[in-house]
Amino acid sequence: MELLPAPFPSFLPRPHQLPLSRPCHGRLQEPITAAFAQAPPLALPFQEATRRSSSSHTPRPSTRPCPPAQRPTTTHPLPPPLPPGPSPSSGSTGSERLIVSETKLITVHSCAGRLGDARKVFEGMACRDLLAWSAMIGAYAIRGLYEEVVALAVAMVREGVIPDRFLITRILQACAYTEDLELGTAMHSLAIRRGFMAEGARDVPVGNSVLAMYVKCGELGRARAAFDMMGQRDLCTWNSMIFGCCRSNEWEEARRLLDDMRRQGTEPGLVTWNTLVSSYARSGELDVAMEMLEQMEESGVAPDVVTWTSLVSGFVHGDRGGEALWCFARMRLAGVEPNGMTIASAISACASLRLLSQGMELHCHAIKVGSVNNVLSGNSLVDMYAKCGEIIAAKRVFDEIPEKDIFSWNSMVAGYAQAGYCGKAYELFCEMESLGVRRNVITWNIMISGYIRNGDDERAFELFQMMESCGVKRDTASWNALIAGSVHNGHSDRALRIFWQMQSLLVRPDFITILSIIPAFANLAGFWKVREIHACIYHNNLEMDGKIANALINAYSKSGDLAGACAVFDRHSSRNIISWNCIILAHLLHGSPSEALDRFCEMKQEGVRPDHTTLTAVIKAYGLQGKVSEAKRIFHNMTHDYNIIPDLDHYTAIVDLLGRSGSLQEAYEFIGNMPLIPNLAVWEALLTAATIHGNARLANLTARELSSLDPSDPRIQRLVFNYWGLTGKSVDVPLMTVYNGGRELEDVDSCSVEIKNNVYLFSTGDNLALESTVAELKLIMIQIRMSLLNISNETNAEEEKEELSGIHCEKLAIAFAISNSPPFRSIRIIKTLRMCSHCHIFAKLVSEKYERQILIKDSNCLHKFEDGKCSCEGYW
DNA sequence: GACCGCCTTT
């Protein structure tokens, strides 16, 4: 059976009986087909159209009252109804001549750019024939004012003028742009009635327009029906159909059409290849897009600026900035000049790769080709400068964008917020409101994320609460910002609560939610919880995402399950440098430096270039093995071998290594000779070494250095306090008077233990700890008392201090786990602060006495206690 | 035929 569109009746009502205008935006006041409802249908229409026309088969009243107040408004008033008189077809010779001259005038005005004058002439015409309508519609069409074209087309048809094949094509083009399926379908039926679409018809342009209209309206089924019915096809026909398939993700069908067209003698052209390349690139199938590029070049079609731009922007979107710039370079080599869009995309690539100098070069290029004032390039530049830390340059570019859009504002607000200038960001945020720039959900998300990442949780939550009352609906990213920020600030429990709350409000978590929440599971709970979220990811087919796999490796490792981490890594199909770093760090955390180094070799064999994190891990691995000279060799040759300049992390690793090997003086001198200003981590490494090796003089010296960094920094206060606790001596630095024996600081410590798939939280000095747990702890203490009596004075000092601040949380957790889990089952504890030596000894003794493996992950290291020994070998 | 900004892993 033939599929035909809605009927287009032959009978047309008298022009003055129908309103001319219709709203430019939104749906028709009534279906256009209803205007001709008095006539019987002539052709079998589409199902939908049949229903519509058959329901309005009853004759309409001959006149329809239409008071001016109720007339639909348009941005451009359409011509008033014509006075009753001779119909256009029966005009006298004189009036015909008038029409011709007025039509010419419309064309002249239009060509001279005086669209308003053209419109005035048109509206003043007493009688308008097809040519007059064509001239007026054409004037709008060539300027891309498709809404107007559609409005005029409706008015024309209602006035009883039937468009010819040329005008039908134009109107269909406008329908495609405005996605006006209704008018488009009516034009299709008219084209059929006029015989333009018949089997033997040679009118390809009309058929192509119909096809393109259905494709743009997302009606692939109707497009296919039109395609199959076309008597003749040209390159454009195939292109439209292939585009339609790509747009609907019907990739196989698109490729079939490509083969079909070649078989039927039409060679794919530039647009065909560009459609395929850009569609694959846009959908993230970048490797297939590159394959298409190859095929394109093989078939002798030279890629143009659109081909390359699609690829550059595709790679930018796929977070493959390097390949984006590589494509850009290939394009330049091929002699293709980039346009504003290409440059904008290449600048984005520089932004994501933090390539300031290359970004600046592109800025110069944008100035040269005159696309610097283009809002697209401007926005990319703002983003690039901000991401490269050049916030002043970013602001300068922003100020010079003549017509800022929401992207410009958001990029600048994000630039400030991400650089930590939340006040500046908020100023702009307020300025947007006062200037009447509508802030969207992204603007709000930027502010929320900015505040929470800069530690101002309160303001972040305030904005999160406020946004809906300001008329902006929260989306998944708004929730993600809170979750990621909470994890970032160490509030994993709160992150989990938000995660559950969003699900109870039926906000669907996306892969970023999962990615953000995985560290929370790892920080809070044992590996069963990590397995749970892993299963959840698996069921949602998210595992294939490389980033999620990386986060999982890390989570398994941190929760004490090295085997789980290895399993994820080994099945990881798209390993990158981060995946390798994760697995190397996992082995390191579990005290297996040789496995970590094996992985490093494997990685190099696979051709993956180590980055600064890898090399830090490698130095640490050598440090754990006591291979000082190997570590030093890596350190000294890293710039030459890997083009990586040592940063503070590498210096810290070397200080740690020297400290472990007991070369305290060398470590101290090494710090003195550093070209960088030593930070907290560097001094902390030395303090640890000095404390463990019992070098009180150096420890005291280091504590002073630390407190001179920033006496108000709570992390430093805690470090120095811990040192004081470890040595049992008072430190001769003024900051020690700041707090009362460190009580507030000790209060922060908490830990979690997972038993039978439940997670229990304990805090140091927890007065609410279950009495039974305290009793159990006392029992354990009695059991191992004999051994405890033999330990050093240092730890006794700690015990005294513990009496002051309350029982340490990990002791409570161990006691609770011993009495609530089956015998011999391993105990996994995750705590926020570093373990004290008394608890360390306690855990060692419990592991021996109760024959349990105890894993305690503290802020510095993972302690694996087995048979009275710890994997850290007493150095942490 | 292409279009920049938010939330993400070591």
Side-chain angles (χ1 to χ4, degrees):
Chain A
M1 192 189 85
E2 258 191 343
L3 267 179
L4 294 173
F8 201 92
S10 56
F11 173 79
L12 295 165
R14 290 179 68 84
H16 66 275
Q17 290 172 339
L18 288 164
L20 276 163
S21 55
R22 54 168 275 186
C24 274
H25 304 285
R27 301 309 310 153
L28 281 163
Q29 292 271 317
E30 54 181 311
I32 184 168
T33 44
F36 318 105
Q38 285 159 313
L42 290 171
L44 257 182
F46 281 129
Q47 288 293 306
E48 198 187 314
T50 320
R51 248 187 290 116
R52 199 164 51 203
S53 60
S54 61
S55 64
S56 50
H57 260 306
T58 44
R60 301 176 64 82
S62 56
T63 52
R64 207 173 58 159
C66 193
Q70 283 179 14
R71 283 180 60 137
T73 52
T74 61
T75 43
H76 295 269
L78 280 155
L82 293 173
S87 72
S89 53
S90 62
S92 67
T93 346
S95 68
E96 263 173 23
R97 233 178 269 134
L98 183 66
I99 295 175
V100 171
S101 66
E102 280 173 326
T103 304
K104 274 187 185 155
L105 196 56
I106 291 172
T107 313
V108 168
H109 279 313
S110 166
C111 288
R114 297 185 299 265
L115 194 61
D117 290 341
R119 182 71 182 221
K120 254 182 231 151
V121 173
F122 180 73
E123 281 177 15
M125 286 172 81
C127 204
R128 290 178 281 256
D129 67 354
L130 176 64
L131 284 178
W133 284 98
S134 297
M136 197 62 240
I137 289 177
Y140 283 113
I142 54 167
R143 286 171 176 80
L145 299 168
Y146 296 114
E147 297 277 359
E148 302 296 338
V149 172
V150 165
L152 278 171
V154 172
M156 176 186 72
V157 178
R158 288 195 169 147
E159 217 172 72
V161 180
I162 309 284
D164 61 1
R165 71 184 66 197
F166 303 105
L167 200 50
I168 287 179
T169 311
R170 266 224 160 121
I171 295 168
L172 279 166
Q173 197 183 14
C175 293
Y177 270 92
T178 54
E179 294 184 20
D180 194 323
L181 185 61
E182 195 152 20
L183 181 63
T185 310
M187 285 299 122
H188 183 193
S189 64
L190 180 64
I192 292 171
R193 284 183 47 77
R194 299 291 302 269
F196 304 144
M197 301 287 292
E199 191 63 46
R202 300 277 138 149
D203 216 325
V204 188
V206 177
N208 283 347
S209 309
V210 169
L211 183 58
M213 181 272 298
Y214 283 132
V215 162
K216 294 257 173 63
C217 291
E219 294 284 335
L220 192 64
R222 291 190 184 187
R224 185 75 215 205
F227 177 81
D228 290 339
M229 270 174 54
M230 281 173 74
Q232 192 159 331
R233 297 171 187 145
D234 65 4
L235 182 59
C236 182
T237 323
W238 290 100
N239 288 346
S240 286
M241 204 56 228
I242 291 175
F243 173 72
C245 291
C246 290
R247 227 179 82 140
S248 311
N249 295 321
E250 302 273 351
W251 303 109
E252 278 177 28
E253 187 57 25
R255 298 292 275 271
R256 224 181 346 257
L257 283 163
L258 183 70
D259 294 339
D260 284 350
M261 74 185 283
R262 286 176 139 164
R263 241 196 320 271
Q264 292 180 26
T266 310
E267 264 308 301
L270 179 68
V271 173
T272 324
W273 290 113
N274 279 351
T275 302
L276 287 162
V277 170
S278 67
S279 301
Y280 278 118
R282 244 162 78 91
S283 67
E285 297 275 0
L286 291 156
D287 300 317
V288 189
M290 289 305 282
E291 214 177 275
M292 287 290 114
L293 175 77
E294 263 171 46
Q295 282 192 32
M296 176 182 190
E297 286 175 319
E298 270 169 27
S299 74
V301 179
D304 73 343
V305 65
V306 175
T307 329
W308 291 114
T309 307
S310 308
L311 287 167
V312 173
S313 75
F315 278 120
V316 169
H317 260 266
D319 219 7
R320 288 161 68 170
E323 284 148 287
L325 290 177
W326 179 74
C327 276
F328 186 74
R330 270 191 67 184
M331 174 181 115
R332 303 297 311 275
L333 276 175
V336 177
E337 269 304 305
N339 61 23
M341 222 177 263
T342 331
I343 293 177
S345 297
I347 291 169
S348 293
C350 293
S352 65
L353 295 168
R354 310 288 189 270
L355 293 172
L356 179 62
S357 57
Q358 238 172 303
M360 286 168 81
E361 254 172 58
L362 285 166
H363 189 176
C364 294
H365 200 90
I367 294 169
K368 230 187 289 173
V369 300
S371 73
V372 72
N373 281 338
N374 174 292
V375 68
L376 228 68
S377 305
N379 294 348
S380 301
L381 281 169
V382 170
D383 182 47
M384 188 273 293
Y385 280 119
K387 287 220 169 87
C388 292
E390 299 288 333
I391 199 77
I392 295 168
K395 184 67 176 18
R396 204 174 301 146
V397 175
F398 173 76
D399 288 337
E400 281 166 12
I401 299 174
E403 278 177 36
K404 297 178 188 55
D405 62 6
I406 184 69
F407 286 84
S408 327
W409 286 94
N410 284 351
S411 301
M412 197 60 233
V413 174
Y416 276 132
Q418 280 155 9
Y421 302 111
C422 283
K424 280 275 183 198
Y426 190 68
E427 261 175 40
L428 274 188
F429 184 74
C430 295
E431 199 182 324
M432 285 173 84
E433 197 185 23
S434 59
L435 289 175
V437 182
R438 247 190 85 80
R439 298 175 297 200
N440 63 9
V441 63
I442 293 173
T443 327
W444 287 84
N445 291 348
I446 293 166
M447 286 309 303
I448 291 169
S449 154
Y451 274 124
I452 201 161
R453 291 211 155 252
N454 285 292
D456 195 343
D457 298 25
E458 212 175 293
R459 288 288 289 140
F461 279 94
E462 208 176 285
L463 286 176
F464 184 80
Q465 293 293 342
M466 242 166 78
M467 62 193 286
E468 296 236 315
S469 57
C470 290
V472 179
K473 210 174 148 28
R474 289 189 278 258
D475 65 3
T476 305
S478 323
W479 290 89
N480 291 351
L482 286 188
I483 291 172
S486 296
V487 175
H488 179 258
N489 295 344
H491 304 297
S492 294
D493 52 333
R494 193 177 67 196
L496 285 174
R497 276 200 300 277
I498 298 166
F499 180 58
W500 287 318
Q501 198 189 342
M502 81 181 272
Q503 282 166 291
S504 71
L505 291 171
L506 301 177
V507 181
R508 259 182 80 90
D510 61 5
F511 98 101
I512 293 176
T513 323
I514 303 292
L515 210 47
S516 313
I517 204 70
I518 291 172
F521 276 101
N523 291 343
L524 253 186
F527 72 103
W528 274 109
K529 283 284 170 214
V530 179
R531 280 186 190 177
E532 228 173 80
I533 188 94
H534 189 174
C536 164
I537 294 159
Y538 187 76
H539 285 302
N540 288 299
N541 286 330
L542 288 163
E543 199 193 13
M544 296 317 283
D545 186 85
K547 289 178 184 179
I548 288 193
N550 294 344
L552 272 176
I553 295 169
N554 196 36
Y556 271 120
S557 157
K558 278 189 180 164
S559 65
D561 187 355
L562 180 61
C566 291
V568 176
F569 180 82
D570 293 336
R571 285 189 207 116
H572 199 327
S573 55
S574 52
R575 291 174 196 163
N576 60 9
I577 179 65
I578 295 178
S579 327
W580 283 100
N581 288 344
C582 284
I583 199 70
I584 291 172
L585 287 168
H587 285 296
L588 216 52
L589 184 68
H590 285 258
S592 323
S594 57
E595 277 88 345
L597 291 168
D598 287 348
R599 294 284 193 181
F600 176 59
C601 290
E602 247 179 85
M603 174 187 138
K604 283 197 291 186
Q605 273 164 12
E606 281 199 13
V608 179
R609 267 170 67 104
D611 68 0
H612 77 274
T613 309
T614 327
L615 295 184
T616 311
V618 169
I619 295 171
K620 280 187 188 160
Y622 281 126
L624 285 174
Q625 288 185 328
K627 291 180 178 168
V628 178
S629 54
E630 279 88 342
K632 280 185 183 169
R633 204 179 57 234
I634 287 269
F635 179 81
H636 287 121
N637 297 335
M638 59 195 278
T639 309
H640 176 263
D641 294 349
Y642 303 109
N643 199 20
I644 294 167
I645 298 161
D647 63 19
L648 282 165
D649 290 337
H650 304 108
Y651 282 96
T652 307
I654 292 285
V655 171
D656 182 78
L657 162 110
L658 293 172
R660 276 173 195 274
S661 69
S663 315
L664 295 180
Q665 187 58 32
E666 192 185 341
Y668 184 66
E669 281 166 16
F670 179 79
I671 294 176
N673 292 327
M674 271 172 62
L676 305 168
I677 298 165
N679 65 355
L680 185 148
V682 175
W683 288 117
E684 186 187 357
L686 188 63
L687 182 64
T688 307
T691 314
I692 286 172
H693 292 287
N695 189 333
R697 187 188 59 83
L698 189 63
N700 219 325
L701 206 69
T702 312
R704 275 168 181 280
E705 292 282 1
L706 263 171
S707 45
S708 71
L709 281 181
D710 179 7
S712 64
D713 188 332
R715 289 172 307 167
I716 292 176
Q717 292 187 358
R718 186 175 298 131
L719 263 177
V720 178
F721 173 76
N722 277 352
Y723 156 72
W724 173 70
L726 287 171
T727 57
K729 288 174 200 151
S730 168
V731 183
D732 182 22
V733 281
L735 76 95
M736 296 313 291
T737 53
V738 174
Y739 45 85
N740 310 323
R743 231 205 108 95
E744 306 98 322
L745 295 171
E746 283 289 287
D747 281 349
V748 187
D749 196 14
S750 68
C751 71
S752 62
V753 63
E754 188 185 49
I755 294 156
K756 292 175 194 156
N757 207 19
N758 281 319
V759 175
Y760 299 89
L761 284 171
F762 295 89
S763 300
T764 290
D766 194 351
N767 296 327
L768 298 172
L770 286 171
E771 268 180 40
S772 58
T773 305
V774 179
E776 179 68 29
L777 180 63
K778 281 183 182 155
L779 199 72
I780 296 169
M781 294 288 234
I782 293 164
Q783 293 265 338
I784 58 177
R785 183 195 273 160
M786 288 314 290
S787 323
L788 268 172
L789 281 177
N790 297 330
I791 59 176
S792 70
N793 290 335
E794 261 179 43
T795 46
N796 283 339
E798 283 209 337
E799 200 180 359
E800 281 166 28
K801 202 184 82 216
E802 192 175 343
E803 274 168 21
L804 212 78
S805 60
I807 305 165
H808 282 173
C809 57
E810 59 266 51
K811 284 206 186 90
L812 290 170
I814 291 172
F816 183 78
I818 294 275
S819 60
N820 288 288
S821 64
F824 312 117
R825 181 70 54 87
S826 64
I827 299 169
R828 291 156 199 269
I829 294 167
I830 291 163
K831 64 175 259 126
T832 43
L833 295 186
R834 197 165 164 166
M835 278 190 93
C836 79
S837 18
H838 193 266
C839 289
H840 200 259
I841 288 169
F842 174 81
K844 275 204 259 187
L845 295 172
V846 172
S847 75
E848 192 177 19
K849 188 87 193 167
Y850 290 83
E851 294 178 51
R852 295 255 198 168
Q853 187 196 51
I854 303 173
L855 286 140
I856 301 182
K857 160 89 184 64
D858 73 6
S859 60
N860 269 43
C861 138
L862 180 93
H863 305 266
K864 207 180 274 182
F865 300 96
E866 238 165 349
D867 305 324
K869 288 189 207 98
C870 178
S871 59
C872 79
E873 293 176 0
Y875 197 104
W876 77 98

